[in-house]
Amino acid sequence: MTSPAQLLDQLRQIVGAANVLTDGDLTAWELDWRRRERGRALAVVRPGTTEEVAAVVKACAAAGVSMVPQGGNTGMVVGSTPDASGTQVVLSLTRMNRVRALDAGNLTITVDAGCVLQSLQDECEKAGFLFPLSLASEGSCTIGGNLGTNAGGTQVVRYGNTRELCLGLEVVTAQGEIWNGLTGLRKDNTGYDLRHLFIGSEGTLGVITGATMKLYPMPKAQLTAFAAVPSLEDAVKLLGLAHQHLSSGLTGFEVMGQFALSLVAKHFPQQRVPFWQESPWCVVLENSDNESEAHARDCFERLLEAAMEAGHVTDAVVAESMAQAHALWHIRESIPLAQAEEGLNIKHDISINVSRIPEFVNETNALLLERFPGARLVTYGHLGDGNLHYNVQAPEGDDQARFLNEEEAPMNELVYEVVDRYNGSISAEHGIGSLKADKLAHHKSPVALGLMRSIKQALDPQNLMNPNRVIKA
Ligand code: FAD
Ligand code: MLT
Ligand code: ZN
């Protein structure tokens, strides 16, 4: 049996001593972004190539040591940090950050999994293309993490989530073999589509080391508007009108409740947040146009006029420049950061058919506030995709640790019970990680759970890839 010390020696030989971190401050790899759990790793290992990843996985598998793949460590469900045992190896992919190839004719880019999303977007833009995945964490999250979680973000309404953007994968299996599935093909029906097993598997089936992703032509114009809407019902009506008026030009549609915006105004006073004091809800929407800016503006104006006439919008601004557009988006993207500034919080990343969202929110608000008086509801999210962040902040002045310890479980139960009645999902885009692993059993059918267990058993029979995340042994 290999001892931990012997394994560490082997790992140093594979990736170099400087890339096996065991001492010093490992907070960046051991503490999750939301500061929910602090783990302890046997080591943080930073391979530089796919072959090194394969050798590391083989060595860990031979020693019976479990591994936690990690990208930017921005995940929301405690899935990328080690447990508290001090026995797990964190496999950090961030040194693997090369663009391998850009095929302009095929509209694809092939990259290492550790590429930071923003640098990937920038590379594509430099070459005249759009890579449309867009998240507020894009300055640190990696494409491997985006694929591992099947991340959503703010452009899903038009381009789909990360799964839809991926054509091929390279994966190191739990046995340390390299599967090269880096195809740029848009059609390939040669049996089971293995790529889809690994996408969204949160590091529990293998390590994604490379990916071939779709590119899009840069739109001629991108316009952003910020609108005040009297109710969530009106926001849904506005969404319907936006689909009609803008068709595939509608590339973003986000809703923000008044309290969510008040947190941005409070914690980031340098940002000018329009309408939040007078409107219960606001929407930020984006129109990407392949004709011209004038055409984009014309369509947007007709949409907003129709919406105002019908009473679905009470006031609106359309950005006059890219700088203004960024500022409006920045308000939306600052909500999770403002929530973190306000303190620990409870997140519900849920999806419901868009048409039923207002009814869901009215019903859940009433039940929740009756049971947890004073709880502060931070409701916002990707309304265009039927995905709400139905988050909750402790009552003003309450002890936050007490709030989480005592109220999180019953509050989750209350919210997810309503989600189930509306045939929704308890994780629209953040995944399951450890935070929701126990809940999965209550919200997926026994048949679905059985199939998931069979897949895990077949691909990772030793249960060494991110064990106890997603599906418990
Ligand atoms: P990590 O956090 O490092 O890992 C996440 C999961 O993927 C873990 O289970 C890990 O084991 C696994 N993993 C990581 N790399 C690999 C790999 N190479 N191979 C296999 N598995 C791997 N998410 C959204 O979906 N939409 C949003 O709009 C959104 N907004 C956010 C805003 C903020 C401010 C923050 C902090 C987070 C947000 N997130 C959002 C959550 C997070 O950014 C995403 O889940 C992102 O995809 C995680 O990428 P990462 O590289 O940080 O992955
Ligand atoms: C976002 O859309 O901003 C994040 O996914 C939400 C969150 O942090 O709850
Ligand atoms: Zn989100």
Side-chain angles (χ1 to χ4, degrees), residues 18-267:
N19 294 309
V20 178
L21 314 180
T22 51
D23 304 320
D25 183 6
L26 300 182
T27 307
W29 297 272
E30 291 182 334
L31 178 66
D32 76 293
W33 189 86
R34 291 176 61 198
R35 303 177 165 269
R36 293 296 304 259
E37 281 175 33
R38 168 84 204 223
R40 202 162 63 81
L42 173 66
V44 175
V45 179
R46 305 177 71 228
T49 62
T50 301
E51 289 68 27
E52 285 184 8
V53 175
V56 167
V57 171
K58 270 197 180 131
C60 291
V65 165
S66 62
M67 292 151 271
V68 182
Q70 190 183 86
N73 194 17
T74 66
M76 290 285 179
V77 286
V78 191
S80 50
T81 44
D83 65 21
S85 65
T87 62
Q88 296 191 304
V89 163
V90 171
L91 204 46
S92 168
L93 276 286
T94 52
R95 281 183 64 227
M96 289 182 59
N97 58 8
R98 278 179 320 128
V99 171
R100 298 191 192 175
L102 190 149
D103 184 341
N106 197 45
L107 285 171
T108 50
I109 187 164
T110 300
V111 293
D112 283 352
C115 265
V116 169
L117 175 56
Q118 195 167 53
S119 51
L120 171 53
Q121 294 164 343
D122 291 347
E123 282 299 317
C124 296
E125 194 176 334
K126 264 192 256 156
F129 295 104
L130 172 74
F131 181 65
L133 184 66
S134 175
L135 322 179
S137 53
E138 62 203 20
S140 347
C141 67
T142 62
I143 194 69
N146 302 147
L147 286 158
T149 57
N150 186 26
T154 54
Q155 303 260 301
V156 174
V157 68
R158 164 70 178 85
Y159 300 102
N161 46 25
T162 313
R163 184 185 299 284
E164 268 86 38
L165 298 171
C166 178
L167 292 172
L169 282 186
E170 179 188 81
V171 172
V172 170
T173 68
Q175 292 72 35
E177 288 173 322
I178 299 171
W179 169 54
N180 185 339
L182 284 176
T183 168
L185 300 177
R186 281 167 170 81
K187 296 182 93 170
D188 178 15
N189 283 349
T190 50
Y192 306 139
D193 199 331
L194 301 175
R195 150 190 62 154
H196 288 308
L197 278 183
F198 292 102
I199 298 174
S201 67
E202 299 180 51
T204 62
L205 299 179
V207 188
I208 297 168
T209 48
T212 300
M213 308 300 292
K214 286 183 197 167
L215 299 177
Y216 288 82
M218 245 338 157
K220 287 257 165 46
Q222 268 180 318
L223 286 190
T224 300
F226 201 97
V229 296
S231 68
L232 254 188
E233 285 83 351
D234 290 296
V236 171
K237 292 269 165 48
L238 175 62
L239 174 64
L241 283 177
H243 278 303
Q244 271 174 32
H245 281 256
L246 308 178
S247 186
S248 61
L250 179 65
T251 45
F253 194 100
E254 300 281 314
V255 75
M256 298 153 288
Q258 190 167 38
F259 182 62
L261 288 176
S262 81
L263 290 181
V264 177
K266 174 177 168 188
H267 293 289

Side-chain angles (χ1 to χ4, degrees), residues 15 30 46 48 50 73 86 140 177 198 214 243 245 274 285 289 324 328 331 360 378-379 391 393 422 429 451 463:
V15 297
E30 291 182 334
R46 305 177 71 228
T50 301
N73 194 17
S140 347
E177 288 173 322
F198 292 102
K214 286 183 197 167
H243 278 303
H245 281 256
L285 58 166
D289 194 290
Q324 271 182 24
L328 293 176
I331 295 167
F360 167 85
V378 187
T379 310
N391 297 347
Q393 213 80 36
Y422 280 70
E429 60 171 9
L451 289 170
N463 192 24

Side-chain angles (χ1 to χ4, degrees), residues 33 76 136 254 332-333 336 339 347 380-382 389 391 429-430:
W33 189 86
M76 290 285 179
E254 300 281 314
R332 156 63 185 93
E333 286 167 355
Q339 264 210 277
K347 286 187 191 284
Y380 65 100
H382 319 287
H389 296 304
N391 297 347
E429 60 171 9
H430 293 162

Side-chain angles (χ1 to χ4, degrees), residues 406-436:
E406 293 176 18
E407 320 282 36
E408 184 169 32
M411 195 175 281
N412 287 165
E413 205 175 302
L414 184 151
V415 173
Y416 295 149
E417 185 277 323
V418 193
V419 169
D420 279 348
R421 274 197 280 115
Y422 280 70
N423 290 321
S425 167
I426 65 160
S427 177
E429 60 171 9
H430 293 162
I432 296 296
S434 338
L435 274 191
K436 296 186 183 171

Side-chain angles (χ1 to χ4, degrees), residues 321-469:
S321 62
M322 277 317 270
Q324 271 182 24
H326 284 143
L328 293 176
W329 273 106
H330 192 46
I331 295 167
R332 156 63 185 93
E333 286 167 355
S334 299
I335 297 174
L337 306 165
Q339 264 210 277
E341 289 292 316
E342 186 72 6
L344 294 169
N345 52 70
I346 298 175
K347 286 187 191 284
H348 303 104
D349 163 39
I350 55 154
S351 59
I352 304 279
N353 286 1
V354 172
S355 51
R356 300 199 69 197
I357 281 196
E359 191 188 344
F360 167 85
V361 168
N362 289 340
E363 181 174 346
T364 317
N365 282 1
L367 289 170
L368 195 136
L369 291 173
E370 190 189 337
R371 173 102 181 264
F372 306 95
R376 296 177 296 161
L377 300 172
V378 187
T379 310
Y380 65 100
H382 319 287
L383 189 67
D385 322 322
N387 174 193
L388 274 192
H389 296 304
Y390 187 80
N391 297 347
V392 188
Q393 213 80 36
E396 190 89 61
D398 197 357
D399 176 336
Q400 296 183 11
R402 182 214 65 81
F403 177 70
L404 274 191
N405 282 340
E406 293 176 18
E407 320 282 36
E408 184 169 32
M411 195 175 281
N412 287 165
E413 205 175 302
L414 184 151
V415 173
Y416 295 149
E417 185 277 323
V418 193
V419 169
D420 279 348
R421 274 197 280 115
Y422 280 70
N423 290 321
S425 167
I426 65 160
S427 177
E429 60 171 9
H430 293 162
I432 296 296
S434 338
L435 274 191
K436 296 186 183 171
D438 282 331
K439 298 180 179 71
L440 208 61
H442 306 287
H443 299 277
K444 275 197 115 69
S445 75
V447 176
L449 286 169
L451 289 170
M452 283 171 71
R453 277 207 188 86
S454 306
I455 292 168
K456 172 75 177 168
Q457 172 65 26
L459 270 65
D460 180 22
Q462 281 184 275
N463 192 24
L464 294 179
M465 297 306 311
N466 218 357
N468 296 321
R469 267 72 196 257

